[in-house]
Amino acid sequence: MTTFPQSLPGSSAPVRMWLPTHELEPTAADQVRAMSRVPGIEGIAIMPDAHAGKGAVVGSVIAMRDAVMPSAVGVDIGCGMTAVQTSLSLADLPDDLGPLRKGIEGAVPVGFSAHSGHAPILSNPHHRRLRARTDRLFGSFERLTAPGVNTLEGRAIAQCGTLGGGNHFIEVCADERGLVWLTLHSGSRNIGKSLAERHIEKAKTLEWNAGLPDPELAVFIRNNPDGTVADEWNNYMRDLFWAQDYAALNREVMLATVQSVLASALPGVKFWDRVSCHHNYVAKENYDGVDLVVTRKGAINADRGTHGIIPGSMGTGSYIVRGLGYELAYRSASHGAGRRLSRGAAKRQFTIDDAATQTAGVECRKDAGILDELPGAYKDIESVMSYQADLVEPVARLTTLLCVKG
């Protein structure tokens, strides 16, 4: 029986892995070793969905002291998931979910599409609080510091409540009891990307980053030599936390929109408490009395009692989980199944026939545009869950019925 955590030979800082060492691809292992040599690194936890990323490994938790690595957060700042259980059961759903999918696709812009201004749902008097939250967030837009972003406010408003592309999705699922859930996955859209790219490029110019093995590992250090807080640090942290708030708001606006579509199709539906979690983000946390900056790059908070969402892939469903607060993992768990094939490899390997086979029973697109997102491009979610049994406990296993992809 495999025991966790495992270590990674050749690392300079402590690395604890919830993945068998031989299952970590060589490129990802080299990235972890390079990450362990970055100034300010306190330790790294590798989740069971880990795979190579740009600079930093996807599926890693990076704990730093008075330092932060902007490219580890990546360009989709605050990307994460939201789920809500409904009052519906499987028996309440129509046999043909096609019209419901088309209704969702018609209400939530996907890919590069956006609203013409604020999302229409924000004009609904039932969502006054959500509109007030939106107004508060954009009331602080002018305080963002990254060069040139002042021209992007209109686009950020129009993209709030939109899905985007890649691995983002909206799903209708059912749990083991036959109860229906809504889940969605998205992040901070173009504004998060623009903020991230500008700060990453700034970090690469700083003198202490000159000797790094990969410029993508560039960091901001909190303090100047005289002990004052560095402007670059303050600027990045301000923009970062704004983008994380935007990502959470984006998901809330989308969820309200999808709930409205479902309520129109199935009047009388009710929605219970939601679960929401970032999985590309930074948090200030304390471990053993030490204040640390923790970056979860493809990982969720799994503090004791905290609920989170761990998706598999389109067609394989998701888990609702409860955190167990494992300190050695920096109270974290995986953010999904993790890619097994790169997007390019998946597009070369799979066909439209594979799309039909691998998504059988799921109401979704079955065209060439989803080949890189097929279940076969991802690791087995059940194996991933088994490796992190001491990090989270399952609360519900969701099976996908309908999937909208960006």
Side-chain angles (χ1 to χ4, degrees):
M1 179 178 177
T2 305
T3 58
F4 300 106
Q6 299 198 348
S7 60
L8 183 66
S11 302
S12 297
V15 173
R16 296 181 286 269
M17 299 185 13
W18 276 262
L19 176 71
T21 305
H22 70 273
E23 290 190 22
L24 184 65
E25 58 188 306
T27 301
D30 289 342
Q31 285 186 332
V32 176
R33 294 185 183 99
M35 290 158 58
S36 75
R37 301 184 183 104
V38 171
I41 286 285
E42 190 80 4
I44 300 170
I46 298 299
M47 300 294 102
D49 60 340
H51 57 91
K54 186 176 182 181
V57 167
V58 179
S60 60
V61 184
I62 306 159
M64 307 187 78
R65 192 182 299 209
D66 293 330
V68 66
M69 189 189 305
S71 66
V73 187
V75 296
D76 197 359
I77 298 171
C79 185
M81 289 196 62
T82 298
V84 63
Q85 182 187 324
T86 78
S87 60
L88 301 172
S89 67
L90 280 170
D92 298 316
L93 296 178
D95 293 335
D96 182 5
L97 293 175
L100 179 59
R101 175 168 70 91
K102 291 179 175 63
I104 295 171
E105 291 172 340
V108 178
V110 302
F112 292 106
S113 298
H115 299 291
S116 58
H118 282 292
I121 197 72
L122 295 175
S123 299
N124 187 318
H126 293 294
H127 293 289
R128 286 190 295 269
R129 291 183 180 179
L130 193 56
R131 179 56 188 260
R133 177 177 167 186
T134 303
D135 291 343
R136 284 195 302 272
L137 183 66
F138 280 97
S140 61
F141 190 90
E142 62 183 15
R143 294 166 55 194
L144 298 177
T145 64
V149 298
N150 60 307
T151 64
L152 301 178
E153 184 174 5
R155 185 175 182 183
I157 288 172
Q159 287 190 327
C160 189
T162 68
L163 186 62
N167 60 1
H168 294 164
F169 61 79
I170 299 167
E171 290 188 341
V172 177
C173 304
D175 66 18
E176 308 98 315
R177 300 165 295 173
L179 300 178
V180 174
W181 292 66
L182 298 177
T183 66
L184 57 85
H185 172 208
S186 190
S188 54
R189 307 297 281 111
N190 178 260
I191 187 61
K193 177 177 181 291
S194 298
L195 291 169
E197 289 175 342
R198 286 159 171 77
H199 286 291
I200 290 169
E201 290 310 307
K202 176 63 178 179
K204 290 177 181 178
T205 69
L206 301 176
E207 58 181 343
W208 53 78
N209 293 317
L212 292 175
D214 183 345
E216 295 297 330
L217 301 178
V219 301
F220 291 119
I221 294 176
R222 184 179 187 276
N223 294 329
N224 292 314
D226 63 2
T228 59
V229 179
D231 288 341
E232 295 90 351
W233 171 277
N234 276 335
N235 291 342
Y236 176 62
M237 286 299 194
R238 181 182 297 114
D239 290 2
L240 168 80
F241 289 128
W242 188 94
Q244 290 180 181
D245 288 344
Y246 176 92
L249 177 65
N250 178 40
R251 293 193 292 273
E252 286 297 310
V253 175
M254 256 194 298
L255 182 64
T257 302
V258 177
Q259 287 176 293
S260 178
V261 173
L262 191 62
S264 294
L266 297 164
V269 61
K270 294 181 174 59
F271 304 96
W272 312 133
D273 292 340
R274 64 183 52 84
V275 178
S276 189
C277 57
H278 291 320
H279 55 225
N280 280 354
Y281 74 110
V282 170
K284 296 178 180 179
E285 299 177 2
N286 186 282
Y287 294 87
D288 295 326
V290 178
D291 291 328
L292 298 175
V293 177
V294 177
T295 298
R296 293 184 175 91
K297 182 180 179 66
I300 63 170
N301 179 299
D303 204 355
R304 180 167 293 278
T306 298
H307 285 84
I309 311 159
I310 301 177
S313 58
M314 61 184 305
T316 61
S318 303
Y319 277 93
I320 307 296
V321 298
R322 183 185 297 113
L324 298 177
Y326 202 113
E327 294 280 316
L328 290 179
Y330 299 109
R331 301 194 289 266
S332 303
S334 82
H335 81 313
R339 293 199 72 90
R340 183 180 67 85
L341 297 175
S342 69
R343 294 191 180 280
K347 288 178 180 178
R348 290 189 295 272
Q349 179 172 325
F350 298 132
T351 66
I352 293 178
D353 286 343
D354 293 318
T357 300
Q358 294 188 30
T359 63
V362 178
E363 171 57 46
C364 65
R365 291 166 44 205
K366 301 179 190 287
D367 54 41
I370 64 166
L371 296 183
D372 56 343
E373 283 295 309
L374 292 181
Y378 285 83
K379 298 178 183 179
D380 174 46
I381 184 62
E382 307 306 332
S383 295
V384 168
M385 293 300 297
S386 71
Y387 290 160
Q388 57 187 342
D390 55 357
L391 307 185
V392 291
E393 58 183 358
V395 173
R397 175 67 163 92
L398 307 185
T399 299
T400 306
L401 308 173
L402 177 158
C403 179
V404 172
K405 294 294 293 185

Short mmCIF file of all heavy atoms in Angstrom, two decimals, residues 81-86 169 171-184 275 308-313 315-321 381-382 394-401:
data_model
loop_
_atom_site.label_atom_id
_atom_site.label_comp_id
_atom_site.label_asym_id
_atom_site.label_seq_id
_atom_site.Cartn_x
_atom_site.Cartn_y
_atom_site.Cartn_z
N MET A 81 -14.35 27.02 -8.60
CA MET A 81 -15.63 26.37 -8.86
C MET A 81 -16.69 26.81 -7.86
O MET A 81 -16.37 27.20 -6.73
CB MET A 81 -15.48 24.85 -8.82
CG MET A 81 -14.73 24.29 -10.00
SD MET A 81 -14.97 22.51 -10.17
CE MET A 81 -16.74 22.40 -10.46
N THR A 82 -17.93 26.69 -8.29
CA THR A 82 -19.08 26.91 -7.43
C THR A 82 -20.09 25.80 -7.72
O THR A 82 -20.24 25.37 -8.86
CB THR A 82 -19.73 28.29 -7.70
OG1 THR A 82 -18.77 29.31 -7.39
CG2 THR A 82 -20.96 28.50 -6.85
N ALA A 83 -20.75 25.34 -6.68
CA ALA A 83 -21.77 24.31 -6.84
C ALA A 83 -22.95 24.64 -5.93
O ALA A 83 -22.76 25.24 -4.85
CB ALA A 83 -21.21 22.93 -6.49
N VAL A 84 -24.13 24.25 -6.34
CA VAL A 84 -25.31 24.44 -5.50
C VAL A 84 -26.25 23.25 -5.70
O VAL A 84 -26.46 22.78 -6.83
CB VAL A 84 -26.04 25.77 -5.83
CG1 VAL A 84 -26.56 25.79 -7.25
CG2 VAL A 84 -27.17 26.03 -4.84
N GLN A 85 -26.78 22.73 -4.60
CA GLN A 85 -27.76 21.65 -4.66
C GLN A 85 -29.13 22.25 -4.88
O GLN A 85 -29.49 23.28 -4.30
CB GLN A 85 -27.74 20.85 -3.37
CG GLN A 85 -28.70 19.67 -3.37
CD GLN A 85 -28.77 19.01 -2.00
OE1 GLN A 85 -27.78 18.92 -1.29
NE2 GLN A 85 -29.96 18.56 -1.64
N THR A 86 -29.91 21.63 -5.73
CA THR A 86 -31.27 22.09 -6.00
C THR A 86 -32.29 21.20 -5.29
O THR A 86 -31.96 20.15 -4.73
CB THR A 86 -31.58 22.10 -7.51
OG1 THR A 86 -31.86 20.76 -7.93
CG2 THR A 86 -30.41 22.65 -8.32
N PHE A 169 -16.42 25.16 -17.50
CA PHE A 169 -17.65 24.46 -17.83
C PHE A 169 -18.79 24.86 -16.90
O PHE A 169 -18.57 25.41 -15.82
CB PHE A 169 -17.46 22.94 -17.77
CG PHE A 169 -17.05 22.41 -16.41
CD1 PHE A 169 -18.00 22.25 -15.40
CD2 PHE A 169 -15.74 22.06 -16.14
CE1 PHE A 169 -17.63 21.77 -14.15
CE2 PHE A 169 -15.36 21.58 -14.90
CZ PHE A 169 -16.31 21.43 -13.90
N GLU A 171 -22.23 22.65 -15.50
CA GLU A 171 -22.81 21.31 -15.55
C GLU A 171 -24.07 21.21 -14.71
O GLU A 171 -24.22 21.89 -13.69
CB GLU A 171 -21.80 20.27 -15.05
CG GLU A 171 -20.63 20.06 -16.00
CD GLU A 171 -19.73 18.91 -15.60
OE1 GLU A 171 -19.76 18.47 -14.44
OE2 GLU A 171 -18.97 18.44 -16.48
N VAL A 172 -24.96 20.35 -15.16
CA VAL A 172 -26.08 19.84 -14.35
C VAL A 172 -25.72 18.42 -13.99
O VAL A 172 -25.38 17.61 -14.87
CB VAL A 172 -27.41 19.89 -15.12
CG1 VAL A 172 -28.53 19.29 -14.28
CG2 VAL A 172 -27.75 21.32 -15.53
N CYS A 173 -25.73 18.11 -12.69
CA CYS A 173 -25.29 16.80 -12.21
C CYS A 173 -26.33 16.21 -11.27
O CYS A 173 -27.25 16.89 -10.83
CB CYS A 173 -23.96 16.93 -11.45
SG CYS A 173 -22.62 17.71 -12.36
N ALA A 174 -26.13 14.94 -10.95
CA ALA A 174 -26.96 14.28 -9.94
C ALA A 174 -26.06 13.54 -8.96
O ALA A 174 -25.05 12.96 -9.36
CB ALA A 174 -27.94 13.31 -10.59
N ASP A 175 -26.42 13.59 -7.68
CA ASP A 175 -25.62 12.87 -6.69
C ASP A 175 -26.16 11.45 -6.51
O ASP A 175 -27.08 11.01 -7.21
CB ASP A 175 -25.55 13.64 -5.37
CG ASP A 175 -26.90 13.77 -4.65
OD1 ASP A 175 -27.83 12.99 -4.97
OD2 ASP A 175 -27.02 14.65 -3.78
N GLU A 176 -25.59 10.71 -5.57
CA GLU A 176 -25.94 9.31 -5.39
C GLU A 176 -27.40 9.12 -4.97
O GLU A 176 -27.98 8.05 -5.16
CB GLU A 176 -25.04 8.66 -4.32
CG GLU A 176 -23.54 8.86 -4.54
CD GLU A 176 -23.01 10.01 -3.69
OE1 GLU A 176 -23.68 11.07 -3.67
OE2 GLU A 176 -21.94 9.86 -3.08
N ARG A 177 -28.00 10.16 -4.39
CA ARG A 177 -29.40 10.08 -3.95
C ARG A 177 -30.36 10.46 -5.07
O ARG A 177 -31.58 10.43 -4.87
CB ARG A 177 -29.61 11.00 -2.75
CG ARG A 177 -28.74 10.68 -1.54
CD ARG A 177 -28.74 11.82 -0.56
NE ARG A 177 -28.12 13.02 -1.15
CZ ARG A 177 -28.09 14.21 -0.56
NH1 ARG A 177 -28.68 14.37 0.62
NH2 ARG A 177 -27.49 15.23 -1.14
N GLY A 178 -29.81 10.86 -6.23
CA GLY A 178 -30.65 11.30 -7.33
C GLY A 178 -31.04 12.76 -7.24
O GLY A 178 -31.93 13.21 -7.97
N LEU A 179 -30.39 13.53 -6.37
CA LEU A 179 -30.66 14.95 -6.25
C LEU A 179 -29.81 15.73 -7.25
O LEU A 179 -28.65 15.38 -7.50
CB LEU A 179 -30.37 15.43 -4.82
CG LEU A 179 -31.21 14.74 -3.73
CD1 LEU A 179 -30.81 15.25 -2.35
CD2 LEU A 179 -32.70 14.95 -3.98
N VAL A 180 -30.39 16.78 -7.80
CA VAL A 180 -29.76 17.52 -8.90
C VAL A 180 -28.94 18.70 -8.36
O VAL A 180 -29.39 19.42 -7.46
CB VAL A 180 -30.83 18.02 -9.89
CG1 VAL A 180 -30.22 18.92 -10.96
CG2 VAL A 180 -31.54 16.82 -10.53
N TRP A 181 -27.75 18.87 -8.93
CA TRP A 181 -26.85 19.96 -8.58
C TRP A 181 -26.50 20.77 -9.83
O TRP A 181 -26.52 20.24 -10.94
CB TRP A 181 -25.53 19.42 -8.02
CG TRP A 181 -25.60 18.75 -6.69
CD1 TRP A 181 -26.24 17.58 -6.37
CD2 TRP A 181 -24.98 19.20 -5.48
NE1 TRP A 181 -26.05 17.26 -5.05
CE2 TRP A 181 -25.28 18.24 -4.48
CE3 TRP A 181 -24.19 20.29 -5.15
CZ2 TRP A 181 -24.81 18.37 -3.17
CZ3 TRP A 181 -23.72 20.42 -3.85
CH2 TRP A 181 -24.04 19.47 -2.86
N LEU A 182 -26.15 22.02 -9.62
CA LEU A 182 -25.50 22.85 -10.64
C LEU A 182 -24.06 23.06 -10.22
O LEU A 182 -23.78 23.34 -9.05
CB LEU A 182 -26.19 24.20 -10.77
CG LEU A 182 -27.66 24.23 -11.20
CD1 LEU A 182 -28.17 25.67 -11.20
CD2 LEU A 182 -27.84 23.59 -12.56
N THR A 183 -23.13 22.93 -11.15
CA THR A 183 -21.73 23.26 -10.88
C THR A 183 -21.20 24.11 -12.01
O THR A 183 -21.68 24.03 -13.15
CB THR A 183 -20.85 21.99 -10.75
OG1 THR A 183 -20.78 21.33 -12.02
CG2 THR A 183 -21.38 21.03 -9.71
N LEU A 184 -20.22 24.94 -11.71
CA LEU A 184 -19.56 25.71 -12.77
C LEU A 184 -18.13 26.00 -12.39
O LEU A 184 -17.75 26.02 -11.22
CB LEU A 184 -20.35 26.99 -13.10
CG LEU A 184 -20.65 27.99 -11.99
CD1 LEU A 184 -19.49 28.96 -11.78
CD2 LEU A 184 -21.90 28.78 -12.33
N VAL A 275 -21.50 25.84 -2.46
CA VAL A 275 -20.09 25.61 -2.14
C VAL A 275 -19.29 26.37 -3.18
O VAL A 275 -19.58 26.29 -4.38
CB VAL A 275 -19.74 24.10 -2.21
CG1 VAL A 275 -18.26 23.88 -1.93
CG2 VAL A 275 -20.61 23.31 -1.25
N GLY A 308 -15.33 21.85 -0.38
CA GLY A 308 -14.73 22.19 -1.66
C GLY A 308 -15.29 21.31 -2.76
O GLY A 308 -16.11 20.41 -2.52
N ILE A 309 -14.82 21.57 -3.98
CA ILE A 309 -15.29 20.84 -5.17
C ILE A 309 -14.07 20.34 -5.92
O ILE A 309 -13.15 21.11 -6.21
CB ILE A 309 -16.12 21.75 -6.08
CG1 ILE A 309 -17.18 22.51 -5.28
CG2 ILE A 309 -16.76 20.94 -7.21
CD1 ILE A 309 -17.68 23.75 -5.97
N ILE A 310 -14.07 19.06 -6.25
CA ILE A 310 -12.99 18.46 -7.03
C ILE A 310 -13.62 17.79 -8.25
O ILE A 310 -14.23 16.73 -8.15
CB ILE A 310 -12.20 17.43 -6.20
CG1 ILE A 310 -11.61 18.09 -4.95
CG2 ILE A 310 -11.10 16.79 -7.04
CD1 ILE A 310 -10.87 17.14 -4.03
N PRO A 311 -13.49 18.42 -9.43
CA PRO A 311 -14.10 17.84 -10.64
C PRO A 311 -13.19 16.81 -11.29
O PRO A 311 -11.96 16.83 -11.09
CB PRO A 311 -14.27 19.06 -11.55
CG PRO A 311 -13.10 19.94 -11.18
CD PRO A 311 -12.89 19.73 -9.70
N GLY A 312 -13.80 15.94 -12.06
CA GLY A 312 -13.02 15.02 -12.88
C GLY A 312 -12.83 15.63 -14.25
O GLY A 312 -11.95 16.45 -14.48
N SER A 313 -13.69 15.28 -15.19
CA SER A 313 -13.67 15.87 -16.53
C SER A 313 -15.08 15.73 -17.08
O SER A 313 -15.94 15.08 -16.46
CB SER A 313 -12.68 15.13 -17.44
OG SER A 313 -13.02 13.75 -17.52
N GLY A 315 -18.11 14.36 -18.39
CA GLY A 315 -18.51 12.97 -18.51
C GLY A 315 -18.19 12.13 -17.29
O GLY A 315 -18.75 11.04 -17.13
N THR A 316 -17.29 12.62 -16.41
CA THR A 316 -16.92 11.82 -15.25
C THR A 316 -17.40 12.42 -13.94
O THR A 316 -17.26 11.79 -12.90
CB THR A 316 -15.39 11.61 -15.18
OG1 THR A 316 -14.74 12.88 -15.06
CG2 THR A 316 -14.89 10.89 -16.40
N GLY A 317 -17.96 13.62 -13.95
CA GLY A 317 -18.55 14.18 -12.75
C GLY A 317 -17.56 14.80 -11.79
O GLY A 317 -16.39 15.02 -12.12
N SER A 318 -18.01 15.08 -10.58
CA SER A 318 -17.23 15.81 -9.57
C SER A 318 -17.49 15.24 -8.19
O SER A 318 -18.44 14.49 -7.98
CB SER A 318 -17.62 17.31 -9.58
OG SER A 318 -17.44 17.90 -10.84
N TYR A 319 -16.64 15.62 -7.27
CA TYR A 319 -16.82 15.32 -5.86
C TYR A 319 -17.04 16.61 -5.08
O TYR A 319 -16.31 17.58 -5.29
CB TYR A 319 -15.60 14.61 -5.28
CG TYR A 319 -15.55 13.12 -5.52
CD1 TYR A 319 -14.88 12.60 -6.63
CD2 TYR A 319 -16.16 12.23 -4.64
CE1 TYR A 319 -14.85 11.22 -6.85
CE2 TYR A 319 -16.11 10.86 -4.85
CZ TYR A 319 -15.45 10.37 -5.96
OH TYR A 319 -15.42 9.01 -6.17
N ILE A 320 -18.01 16.61 -4.19
CA ILE A 320 -18.10 17.61 -3.14
C ILE A 320 -17.38 17.01 -1.94
O ILE A 320 -17.65 15.86 -1.55
CB ILE A 320 -19.55 17.94 -2.77
CG1 ILE A 320 -20.36 18.33 -4.02
CG2 ILE A 320 -19.59 19.06 -1.72
CD1 ILE A 320 -19.88 19.58 -4.71
N VAL A 321 -16.44 17.75 -1.37
CA VAL A 321 -15.58 17.19 -0.32
C VAL A 321 -15.58 18.09 0.91
O VAL A 321 -15.95 19.26 0.86
CB VAL A 321 -14.14 17.00 -0.82
CG1 VAL A 321 -14.08 16.02 -1.98
CG2 VAL A 321 -13.51 18.35 -1.22
N ILE A 381 -10.16 10.14 -11.91
CA ILE A 381 -10.53 10.88 -10.71
C ILE A 381 -10.59 9.98 -9.48
O ILE A 381 -10.26 10.41 -8.36
CB ILE A 381 -11.88 11.61 -10.91
CG1 ILE A 381 -12.22 12.48 -9.69
CG2 ILE A 381 -13.00 10.65 -11.21
CD1 ILE A 381 -11.24 13.59 -9.41
N GLU A 382 -10.94 8.71 -9.65
CA GLU A 382 -11.03 7.81 -8.50
C GLU A 382 -9.64 7.55 -7.90
O GLU A 382 -9.48 7.50 -6.67
CB GLU A 382 -11.71 6.50 -8.87
CG GLU A 382 -13.07 6.66 -9.55
CD GLU A 382 -14.05 7.50 -8.75
OE1 GLU A 382 -13.93 7.53 -7.49
OE2 GLU A 382 -14.93 8.13 -9.36
N PRO A 394 -15.04 12.61 0.97
CA PRO A 394 -16.15 12.90 0.06
C PRO A 394 -17.45 13.13 0.82
O PRO A 394 -17.75 12.43 1.79
CB PRO A 394 -16.24 11.64 -0.81
CG PRO A 394 -14.90 10.96 -0.66
CD PRO A 394 -14.46 11.27 0.73
N VAL A 395 -18.20 14.12 0.36
CA VAL A 395 -19.53 14.40 0.89
C VAL A 395 -20.59 13.95 -0.11
O VAL A 395 -21.63 13.42 0.27
CB VAL A 395 -19.69 15.91 1.19
CG1 VAL A 395 -21.12 16.25 1.58
CG2 VAL A 395 -18.72 16.32 2.27
N ALA A 396 -20.31 14.16 -1.40
CA ALA A 396 -21.24 13.74 -2.45
C ALA A 396 -20.45 13.44 -3.71
O ALA A 396 -19.45 14.10 -4.01
CB ALA A 396 -22.28 14.82 -2.73
N ARG A 397 -20.89 12.42 -4.43
CA ARG A 397 -20.30 12.08 -5.74
C ARG A 397 -21.31 12.49 -6.80
O ARG A 397 -22.44 11.97 -6.83
CB ARG A 397 -20.00 10.59 -5.81
CG ARG A 397 -19.50 10.09 -7.19
CD ARG A 397 -18.13 10.68 -7.51
NE ARG A 397 -17.45 9.97 -8.56
CZ ARG A 397 -17.52 10.30 -9.87
NH1 ARG A 397 -18.30 11.30 -10.26
NH2 ARG A 397 -16.82 9.62 -10.76
N LEU A 398 -20.93 13.42 -7.66
CA LEU A 398 -21.83 13.95 -8.68
C LEU A 398 -21.54 13.31 -10.03
O LEU A 398 -20.38 13.20 -10.43
CB LEU A 398 -21.66 15.46 -8.81
CG LEU A 398 -21.78 16.29 -7.52
CD1 LEU A 398 -21.70 17.77 -7.83
CD2 LEU A 398 -23.05 15.95 -6.76
N THR A 399 -22.59 12.90 -10.71
CA THR A 399 -22.51 12.36 -12.05
C THR A 399 -23.02 13.40 -13.03
O THR A 399 -24.10 13.98 -12.84
CB THR A 399 -23.34 11.07 -12.19
OG1 THR A 399 -22.82 10.10 -11.27
CG2 THR A 399 -23.27 10.52 -13.60
N THR A 400 -22.28 13.65 -14.11
CA THR A 400 -22.63 14.69 -15.09
C THR A 400 -23.80 14.24 -15.96
O THR A 400 -23.78 13.16 -16.54
CB THR A 400 -21.43 15.04 -15.97
OG1 THR A 400 -20.32 15.37 -15.15
CG2 THR A 400 -21.75 16.20 -16.88
N LEU A 401 -24.80 15.10 -16.05
CA LEU A 401 -25.95 14.88 -16.94
C LEU A 401 -25.89 15.81 -18.16
O LEU A 401 -26.28 15.43 -19.27
CB LEU A 401 -27.26 15.11 -16.21
CG LEU A 401 -27.45 14.37 -14.89
CD1 LEU A 401 -28.73 14.85 -14.20
CD2 LEU A 401 -27.49 12.87 -15.13
#
